[in-house]
Amino acid sequence: MPNYIRLKAFGMLAEKIGTDSLEIENPGSSEALRRLLLEQFPALQSLTFRMAVDRKLLQAETDISAGQEIALLPPFSGG
Amino acid sequence: MIVNRFERQVILPGFGQEGQAKLKQASVLVIGAGGLGCPVLLYLAAAGVGRIAVVDGDVISQSNLNRQVLYGEKDLGKNKADTAVRYFQEKYSDIQWTAIPEFITVDNAQAHIFHYDLVIDGSDNFPTRYLVNDASVLLKKPLVYGSIYQHEGQVSVFNVGSHPCNYRDVFPNPPAPQEIPNCAETGVLGVLPGIIGNLMALEAIKVLAGLGKPLSNKLLLFNSLDTQFQELEIQPNPANQSALPASWNEFHQRDYTSAFEGIQQLTWNEAMKLMGQEVAFVDVREPGEEPPLECTGLVKVPFSTLPNELDRFEEAEEILCFCQSGIRSKKAAQLLQQTYPDKKIFSIRGGINALKS
């Protein structure tokens, strides 16, 4: 099985990344993924966001396995 | 059976007279009577919640009318809380209404929230959202949260269940002001807050009537462009507890409206008591600022070079910053807090000027 993961970006993050859904090679951990994202999409550097792996919000850094879905979640304030 | 305006919900299995009685006895504080607050109010009132208060210090403007469906052209310039309550008083005589035509603040939040069983956050800015969250946590009140951005929405229920979450378990600290888009620049189709507001009303009714499974420990995401819902599991995170005010005293002293929310300010006296081995005591003034301060353990890191010297503080458990008047030290503390979210970081109120006086 190829070592890919699926990213789902929400809100302003999807705008900055240019798409709300993206398949990338698995960097192996949430820390490595964050580094990779900030490097590939420098516009994310100034944004607050949390990650969820397979629909669970991360409490701490974690390993990521092939095929997992990572949600990138910014806070919304509108009402 | 007596036929009344609730007949169609009373005959629902799982709701019944009992559910209706619970709603009748319940009280709800709705914070913000805007895009989210309007649909929330419409459905809580129609469902027969016994006591409803509306908090909003804002007035109705023309650009509100595409989504704030309680108001019309004749209401322009009027206060939202007053106008909403007047509308409902004519509609339903069996509900006790209270209009609170002011913004929620650290000074009035405790008194307002205390009197209600459940809080609805329909506000439109981060300072209010964090303030309402923290006050609801301190009072252990169920909080129904909803927010929107362009074509997306988030909904959750906080402070409910055996392992309750709150907003800080999702986003421990507010984003920096520069990353928040100006409200006036963010477009919205009225239907989106309509949908999110309806979901919020539903969650409130579920919590109050003991119906179904409220969205506690879950964050619901909705995208209106592809009509997709997604649910994320959230858990209480002990590491985020430090972001909450520990007491009402701390809550009252927080400046939620500034960018420095979360940075605790200390007086010199309080700061002196903290001094010790694991505490970094940092002068962030630039070289040459008078009077210089010399004492053991003092670290001098000018604010202008701090971004390049953040790694000097890796060992410290707590960091105390001061400057000339207390402004740069708050910025410095914020920068340090972003770098070290787990450390306790303080700014000394008034800086050297306060020491002199």
Coordinates of all heavy atoms in Angstrom, one line a residue, chain B residues 50-104:
Chain B
G50 N -39.0 28.4 29.0 CA -39.8 29.2 29.9 C -39.2 30.7 30.1 O -40.0 31.6 30.2
R51 N -37.9 30.8 30.1 CA -37.3 32.1 30.4 C -36.2 32.3 29.5 O -35.3 31.4 29.4 CB -36.9 32.1 31.9 CG -36.8 33.4 32.6 CD -36.9 33.2 34.1 NE -35.9 32.3 34.7 CZ -34.7 32.7 35.0 NH1 -34.3 34.0 34.8 NH2 -33.9 31.9 35.6
I52 N -36.2 33.4 28.7 CA -35.1 33.6 27.7 C -34.6 35.1 27.9 O -35.4 36.0 27.9 CB -35.6 33.4 26.3 CG1 -36.1 32.0 26.1 CG2 -34.5 33.7 25.3 CD1 -36.7 31.7 24.7
A53 N -33.3 35.2 28.0 CA -32.7 36.5 28.0 C -31.8 36.7 26.8 O -31.2 35.8 26.3 CB -31.9 36.7 29.3
V54 N -31.8 37.9 26.3 CA -31.0 38.2 25.1 C -30.0 39.3 25.4 O -30.4 40.4 25.9 CB -32.0 38.7 23.9 CG1 -31.2 38.9 22.6 CG2 -33.2 37.8 23.7
V55 N -28.7 39.0 25.2 CA -27.7 40.0 25.5 C -27.1 40.5 24.1 O -26.6 39.7 23.4 CB -26.5 39.4 26.3 CG1 -25.6 40.5 26.7 CG2 -27.0 38.6 27.4
D56 N -27.2 41.8 23.9 CA -26.5 42.3 22.7 C -26.5 43.8 22.8 O -27.6 44.5 23.0 CB -27.2 41.9 21.4 CG -26.3 41.9 20.2 OD1 -25.5 42.9 20.1 OD2 -26.4 41.0 19.3
G57 N -25.3 44.4 22.7 CA -25.2 45.8 22.8 C -25.2 46.5 21.4 O -25.2 47.7 21.3
D58 N -25.3 45.7 20.4 CA -25.2 46.2 19.0 C -26.5 46.7 18.5 O -27.6 46.4 19.0 CB -24.7 45.1 18.1 CG -24.1 45.6 16.8 OD1 -23.9 46.8 16.7 OD2 -23.9 44.7 15.9
V59 N -26.5 47.6 17.5 CA -27.7 48.1 16.8 C -27.8 47.5 15.4 O -26.8 47.1 14.9 CB -27.7 49.6 16.7 CG1 -27.8 50.3 18.1 CG2 -26.6 50.2 15.9
I60 N -29.0 47.5 15.0 CA -29.3 46.8 13.7 C -28.9 47.8 12.5 O -29.2 49.0 12.5 CB -30.8 46.6 13.6 CG1 -31.2 45.6 14.7 CG2 -31.2 46.0 12.2 CD1 -32.7 45.7 15.2
S61 N -28.2 47.2 11.6 CA -27.8 48.0 10.4 C -28.3 47.3 9.2 O -28.6 46.1 9.2 CB -26.3 48.2 10.4 OG -25.6 46.9 10.2
Q62 N -28.3 48.0 8.1 CA -28.8 47.5 6.8 C -28.1 46.2 6.4 O -28.8 45.3 5.9 CB -28.5 48.6 5.7 CG -29.3 48.3 4.5 CD -30.3 49.4 4.2 OE1 -30.2 50.6 4.5 NE2 -31.5 49.0 3.7
S63 N -26.8 46.1 6.6 CA -26.1 44.9 6.1 C -26.4 43.7 6.9 O -26.0 42.6 6.6 CB -24.6 45.2 6.0 OG -24.1 45.3 7.4
N64 N -27.1 43.9 8.1 CA -27.5 42.7 8.9 C -28.7 42.0 8.3 O -28.9 40.8 8.6 CB -27.9 43.2 10.3 CG -26.8 43.8 11.1 OD1 -27.1 44.6 12.0 ND2 -25.6 43.5 10.8
L65 N -29.4 42.6 7.5 CA -30.8 42.1 7.2 C -30.8 40.9 6.2 O -31.8 40.3 6.1 CB -31.7 43.3 6.5 CG -31.9 44.5 7.4 CD1 -32.8 45.5 6.8 CD2 -32.4 44.1 8.8
N66 N -29.7 40.5 5.6 CA -29.7 39.3 4.8 C -29.7 38.1 5.6 O -29.9 37.0 5.1 CB -28.5 39.3 3.8 CG -27.2 38.9 4.5 OD1 -26.9 39.2 5.7 ND2 -26.4 38.1 3.8
R67 N -29.4 38.2 6.9 CA -29.4 37.0 7.8 C -30.0 37.1 9.1 O -30.3 36.1 9.8 CB -27.9 36.5 7.9 CG -27.0 37.6 8.6 CD -25.6 37.3 8.4 NE -24.8 38.3 9.2 CZ -24.5 39.5 8.8 NH1 -25.0 40.0 7.7 NH2 -23.8 40.3 9.6
Q68 N -30.2 38.3 9.6 CA -30.7 38.5 11.0 C -32.2 38.7 10.8 O -32.7 39.8 10.8 CB -30.0 39.7 11.6 CG -28.5 39.4 11.6 CD -27.6 40.4 12.4 OE1 -28.1 41.2 13.2 NE2 -26.3 40.3 12.2
V69 N -32.9 37.6 10.7 CA -34.2 37.5 10.1 C -35.3 38.0 11.1 O -36.5 38.1 10.7 CB -34.6 36.1 9.7 CG1 -33.7 35.7 8.5 CG2 -34.3 35.1 10.8
L70 N -34.9 38.4 12.3 CA -35.9 39.0 13.2 C -36.2 40.4 12.9 O -37.2 41.0 13.3 CB -35.4 38.9 14.7 CG -35.4 37.5 15.3 CD1 -34.8 37.6 16.7 CD2 -36.8 36.9 15.4
Y71 N -35.3 41.1 12.2 CA -35.3 42.5 12.0 C -35.7 42.9 10.6 O -35.5 42.2 9.6 CB -34.0 43.1 12.3 CG -33.3 42.6 13.6 CD1 -32.1 42.0 13.5 CD2 -34.1 42.6 14.8 CE1 -31.5 41.5 14.7 CE2 -33.5 42.0 15.9 CZ -32.2 41.5 15.9 OH -31.6 40.9 17.0
G72 N -36.3 44.1 10.5 CA -36.7 44.6 9.2 C -36.2 46.1 9.0 O -35.5 46.6 9.9
E73 N -36.6 46.7 7.9 CA -36.1 48.0 7.6 C -36.5 49.0 8.7 O -35.7 50.0 8.9 CB -36.7 48.5 6.3 CG -36.2 47.7 5.1 CD -37.1 47.8 3.8 OE1 -38.2 48.3 4.0 OE2 -36.7 47.2 2.8
K74 N -37.6 48.8 9.3 CA -38.0 49.8 10.3 C -37.2 49.7 11.6 O -37.3 50.6 12.5 CB -39.5 49.6 10.7 CG -40.5 50.0 9.6 CD -41.9 49.8 10.1 CE -42.8 50.0 8.9 NZ -43.9 49.0 9.0
D75 N -36.4 48.7 11.7 CA -35.6 48.5 13.0 C -34.2 49.1 12.9 O -33.5 49.0 13.9 CB -35.5 47.0 13.3 CG -36.9 46.4 13.5 OD1 -37.7 47.0 14.1 OD2 -37.1 45.3 12.9
L76 N -33.8 49.6 11.7 CA -32.4 50.1 11.6 C -32.1 51.1 12.7 O -32.9 52.0 13.0 CB -32.2 50.8 10.2 CG -32.4 49.8 9.0 CD1 -32.2 50.6 7.7 CD2 -31.5 48.6 9.1
G77 N -30.9 50.9 13.3 CA -30.5 51.8 14.3 C -30.9 51.5 15.7 O -30.5 52.0 16.7
K78 N -31.9 50.5 15.8 CA -32.4 50.1 17.2 C -31.5 49.0 17.8 O -30.9 48.2 17.0 CB -33.8 49.6 17.1 CG -34.8 50.7 16.6 CD -36.2 50.0 16.6 CE -37.2 51.0 16.0 NZ -38.4 50.3 15.5
N79 N -31.5 48.9 19.1 CA -30.7 47.9 19.7 C -31.3 46.5 19.4 O -32.5 46.3 19.4 CB -30.7 48.1 21.2 CG -30.1 46.9 22.0 OD1 -30.7 46.0 22.4 ND2 -28.8 47.0 22.1
K80 N -30.4 45.5 19.2 CA -30.9 44.2 18.8 C -31.6 43.4 19.9 O -32.6 42.8 19.7 CB -29.7 43.3 18.3 CG -29.1 43.8 17.0 CD -27.9 43.0 16.5 CE -27.3 43.6 15.3 NZ -26.2 42.8 14.7
A81 N -31.0 43.5 21.1 CA -31.7 42.8 22.2 C -33.1 43.3 22.5 O -34.0 42.5 22.6 CB -30.8 42.9 23.5
D82 N -33.2 44.6 22.6 CA -34.5 45.2 22.8 C -35.5 44.9 21.7 O -36.7 44.5 21.9 CB -34.4 46.8 22.8 CG -33.8 47.3 24.1 OD1 -33.9 46.5 25.1 OD2 -33.2 48.4 24.1
T83 N -35.0 45.0 20.4 CA -35.9 44.7 19.3 C -36.4 43.3 19.2 O -37.5 43.0 19.0 CB -35.2 45.1 18.0 OG1 -34.7 46.4 18.2 CG2 -36.1 45.1 16.8
A84 N -35.4 42.4 19.5 CA -35.8 40.9 19.4 C -36.8 40.6 20.5 O -37.8 40.0 20.3 CB -34.5 40.1 19.6
V85 N -36.5 41.1 21.7 CA -37.4 40.8 22.8 C -38.8 41.4 22.6 O -39.9 40.7 22.8 CB -36.8 41.3 24.2 CG1 -37.9 41.4 25.3 CG2 -35.7 40.4 24.6
R86 N -38.9 42.6 22.1 CA -40.2 43.2 21.8 C -41.0 42.4 20.7 O -42.2 42.1 20.9 CB -40.0 44.6 21.2 CG -41.1 45.6 21.7 CD -40.8 47.0 21.3 NE -39.5 47.5 21.8 CZ -38.6 48.0 21.1 NH1 -38.7 48.1 19.8 NH2 -37.4 48.4 21.6
Y87 N -40.3 41.9 19.8 CA -40.9 41.0 18.7 C -41.5 39.8 19.3 O -42.6 39.4 19.1 CB -39.8 40.6 17.7 CG -40.2 39.6 16.7 CD1 -40.8 39.9 15.5 CD2 -39.9 38.2 16.9 CE1 -41.2 38.9 14.6 CE2 -40.2 37.3 16.0 CZ -40.9 37.6 14.8 OH -41.2 36.6 13.9
F88 N -40.7 39.1 20.3 CA -41.2 37.9 20.8 C -42.3 38.1 21.9 O -43.2 37.2 22.1 CB -40.0 37.1 21.4 CG -39.2 36.4 20.4 CD1 -37.9 36.8 20.1 CD2 -39.7 35.4 19.6 CE1 -37.1 36.2 19.2 CE2 -39.0 34.7 18.7 CZ -37.6 35.2 18.4
Q89 N -42.2 39.2 22.6 CA -43.3 39.5 23.6 C -44.7 39.5 23.0 O -45.6 39.1 23.5 CB -43.0 40.7 24.4 CG -41.9 40.5 25.5 CD -41.4 41.8 26.1 OE1 -41.4 42.8 25.4 NE2 -41.0 41.7 27.3
E90 N -44.7 40.1 21.7 CA -46.0 40.1 21.0 C -46.4 38.8 20.6 O -47.6 38.5 20.4 CB -45.9 41.1 19.8 CG -46.1 42.5 20.2 CD -45.9 43.4 19.0 OE1 -46.2 42.9 17.8 OE2 -45.5 44.6 19.1
K91 N -45.4 37.9 20.3 CA -45.7 36.6 19.7 C -46.1 35.6 20.7 O -47.1 34.8 20.4 CB -44.4 36.2 19.0 CG -44.7 35.6 17.6 CD -43.3 35.3 16.9 CE -43.6 34.3 15.8 NZ -42.3 33.8 15.2
Y92 N -45.4 35.5 21.8 CA -45.7 34.4 22.8 C -45.8 35.0 24.2 O -44.8 35.6 24.7 CB -44.5 33.4 22.8 CG -44.1 32.8 21.5 CD1 -42.9 33.1 20.9 CD2 -45.0 32.0 20.8 CE1 -42.5 32.5 19.7 CE2 -44.7 31.4 19.6 CZ -43.4 31.7 19.0 OH -43.1 31.1 17.8
S93 N -46.9 34.8 24.8 CA -47.2 35.5 26.1 C -46.7 34.5 27.2 O -46.7 34.9 28.4 CB -48.7 35.8 26.2 OG -49.4 34.5 26.1
D94 N -46.4 33.3 26.9 CA -46.1 32.3 27.9 C -44.6 32.3 28.3 O -44.1 31.4 29.0 CB -46.6 30.9 27.6 CG -46.1 30.5 26.2 OD1 -45.4 31.3 25.5 OD2 -46.4 29.3 25.8
I95 N -43.8 33.2 27.7 CA -42.3 33.1 28.0 C -41.9 34.4 28.7 O -42.4 35.5 28.4 CB -41.5 33.0 26.6 CG1 -41.9 31.7 25.9 CG2 -40.0 33.2 26.9 CD1 -41.3 31.6 24.5
Q96 N -41.1 34.2 29.7 CA -40.5 35.4 30.4 C -39.3 35.9 29.7 O -38.3 35.2 29.5 CB -40.1 35.0 31.8 CG -41.1 35.0 32.9 CD -40.4 34.7 34.2 OE1 -39.5 35.4 34.6 NE2 -40.9 33.6 34.8
W97 N -39.4 37.1 29.1 CA -38.3 37.7 28.3 C -37.5 38.7 29.1 O -38.1 39.5 29.8 CB -38.9 38.3 27.1 CG -39.4 37.3 26.1 CD1 -40.7 36.9 26.0 CD2 -38.6 36.6 25.2 NE1 -40.8 36.0 25.0 CE2 -39.5 35.7 24.5 CE3 -37.3 36.5 24.8 CZ2 -39.1 34.9 23.5 CZ3 -36.9 35.7 23.8 CH2 -37.8 34.9 23.2
T98 N -36.2 38.7 28.9 CA -35.4 39.8 29.4 C -34.5 40.3 28.3 O -33.8 39.5 27.7 CB -34.5 39.3 30.6 OG1 -35.3 38.7 31.5 CG2 -33.7 40.4 31.2
A99 N -34.5 41.6 28.1 CA -33.5 42.2 27.1 C -32.4 42.8 27.9 O -32.6 43.6 28.8 CB -34.2 43.3 26.3
I100 N -31.2 42.5 27.5 CA -30.0 43.1 28.1 C -29.2 43.8 27.0 O -28.4 43.2 26.3 CB -29.1 42.0 28.8 CG1 -30.0 41.2 29.8 CG2 -27.9 42.6 29.5 CD1 -29.3 39.9 30.4
P101 N -29.5 45.1 26.8 CA -29.0 45.8 25.7 C -27.6 46.3 25.9 O -27.3 47.4 25.8 CB -30.0 47.0 25.5 CG -30.5 47.2 26.9 CD -30.4 45.9 27.6
E102 N -26.7 45.3 26.2 CA -25.3 45.7 26.4 C -24.4 44.5 26.0 O -24.9 43.4 25.8 CB -25.0 46.0 27.9 CG -25.5 44.9 28.8 CD -25.5 45.3 30.3 OE1 -26.1 46.4 30.6 OE2 -24.8 44.7 31.1
F103 N -23.1 44.8 25.8 CA -22.2 43.7 25.5 C -21.8 43.0 26.7 O -21.8 43.6 27.8 CB -21.0 44.3 24.8 CG -21.3 44.8 23.4 CD1 -21.3 46.2 23.1 CD2 -21.6 44.0 22.4 CE1 -21.6 46.7 21.9 CE2 -21.9 44.4 21.1 CZ -21.9 45.8 20.9
I104 N -21.5 41.7 26.6 CA -21.1 40.9 27.7 C -19.6 41.3 28.0 O -18.8 41.4 27.1 CB -21.3 39.4 27.5 CG1 -21.2 38.7 28.8 CG2 -20.4 38.8 26.5 CD1 -22.5 38.0 29.2

